[in-house]
Amino acid sequence: MAVEEFIGKTLKDAGDICMKGFGHIKRISHKGDQSNVVTEVDIASEKSIISHIKRQFPHDTIIAEETGFYEKDSSRCWIIDPIDGTSNFAAGIPWFGVMIARLENWVVTASGIFLPAMDELYFAEKGNGSYLNGHRIRVSPEDSLKNVLVAYGIDYSEIEGKTDREMSIVKKLVGACRNLRDTNSAVDDCYVAGGKFGASLNQTTMIWDDAAPSLIVEEAGGVYTDIEGKPLNFEVTKENYLKNYTSVAASKALHPKIMQLLKN
């Protein structure tokens, strides 16, 4: 089975599970702080994805948001986010997605994001472009921040001063772009890849939040880096895979302008 077919089917099966539970969530659990929640549907979606991968690729490593690091002696790894945007999902808001990335030697070589409520399937394979429901997509051609929408996702943080620092960035972005918009989910990066948003930023992400969209944005002609403009390093171990990432997704024209704005 071709990787595009496998990722597409796996994502849509998980998406069906999500839609059956959407609007019917009765119990929400917290993981750590109030911004990090999980539902029974997250668990069911993840089990479905893992089952698909283990059947088709039994010797591959798997990193899954809810159930952890399944390490195998393989150069290939699958990174899973069963519901990105669980807070939205649990509240009955349709801004959520299911994400899968395939890595070889810790480099993302194929990835997919399915937005079930919108029936939108994004897919990219390294060197072959990005696609939405089979049609080629590209980042915005705009070269001025004043002409684009920008997303900035923010969560609660116990780190002293972090929220204040982020608010100063939000203030800069509001003054520089057309409007600030945000779903704080996979939708934001998908909209960057498809040209609806000019950029998307987030300073509180994990490997499963960034692996899949990084390739989709890049193959759509964009740039996906950390908040300092450096490439993201997805090489992890069982000991450090829970580390925090930051992300900036934008077109090649807009990315340096955002980096300059953040430095000022």
Side-chain angles (χ1 to χ4, degrees), residues 29-62:
S29 302
H30 287 83
K31 303 182 296 181
D33 58 54
Q34 72 261 32
S35 297
N36 202 349
V37 300
V38 63
T39 72
E40 67 272 17
V41 182
D42 292 79
I43 303 300
S45 172
E46 185 163 294
K47 284 182 178 178
S48 173
I49 296 169
I50 290 173
S51 176
H52 277 281
I53 294 171
K54 285 186 173 180
R55 280 199 305 270
Q56 192 74 18
F57 305 100
H59 304 295
D60 290 0
T61 293
I62 300 172

Side-chain angles (χ1 to χ4, degrees), residues 22 37 84-96 182-187:
F22 184 55
V37 300
D84 190 72
T86 300
S87 287
N88 297 336
F89 173 82
I93 299 171
W95 299 332
F96 63 91
D182 182 54
T183 73
N184 208 8
S185 74
V187 175

Side-chain angles (χ1 to χ4, degrees), residues 59-170:
H59 304 295
D60 290 0
T61 293
I62 300 172
I63 299 175
E65 178 178 5
E66 307 304 338
T67 52
F69 201 122
Y70 299 81
E71 189 171 19
K72 294 290 184 72
D73 185 17
S74 172
S75 62
R76 190 160 52 196
C77 174
W78 298 83
I79 297 179
I80 301 166
D81 193 335
I83 301 180
D84 190 72
T86 300
S87 287
N88 297 336
F89 173 82
I93 299 171
W95 299 332
F96 63 91
V98 185
M99 306 200 290
I100 300 173
R102 183 191 70 181
L103 284 68
E104 297 186 34
N105 295 313
W106 302 109
V107 174
V108 184
T109 56
S111 68
I113 301 174
F114 184 45
L115 309 181
M118 306 169 197
D119 195 27
E120 293 185 354
L121 177 61
Y122 293 78
F123 175 79
E125 192 167 8
K126 197 168 184 63
N128 291 325
S130 291
Y131 297 83
L132 166 56
N133 292 343
H135 300 284
R136 186 74 182 264
I137 56 172
R138 292 177 175 83
V139 295
S140 172
E142 290 287 350
D143 60 5
S144 172
L145 284 171
K146 289 185 177 180
N147 293 331
V148 297
L149 300 176
V150 173
Y152 190 97
I154 186 168
D155 289 320
Y156 167 79
S157 175
E158 294 181 345
I159 300 173
E160 185 176 356
K162 184 174 184 291
T163 300
D164 289 338
R165 291 191 295 273
E166 292 204 57
M167 286 298 98
S168 69
I169 292 174
V170 168

Side-chain angles (χ1 to χ4, degrees), residues 61-64 68-72 74 77-79 103 105-106 206-208 233-245:
T61 293
I62 300 172
I63 299 175
F69 201 122
Y70 299 81
E71 189 171 19
K72 294 290 184 72
S74 172
C77 174
W78 298 83
I79 297 179
L103 284 68
N105 295 313
W106 302 109
M206 306 292 280
I207 193 168
W208 42 77
N233 181 1
F234 295 125
E235 184 172 355
V236 295
T237 66
K238 274 189 173 182
E239 288 68 40
N240 72 359
Y241 81 98
L242 293 174
K243 65 182 180 180
N244 183 75
Y245 286 81

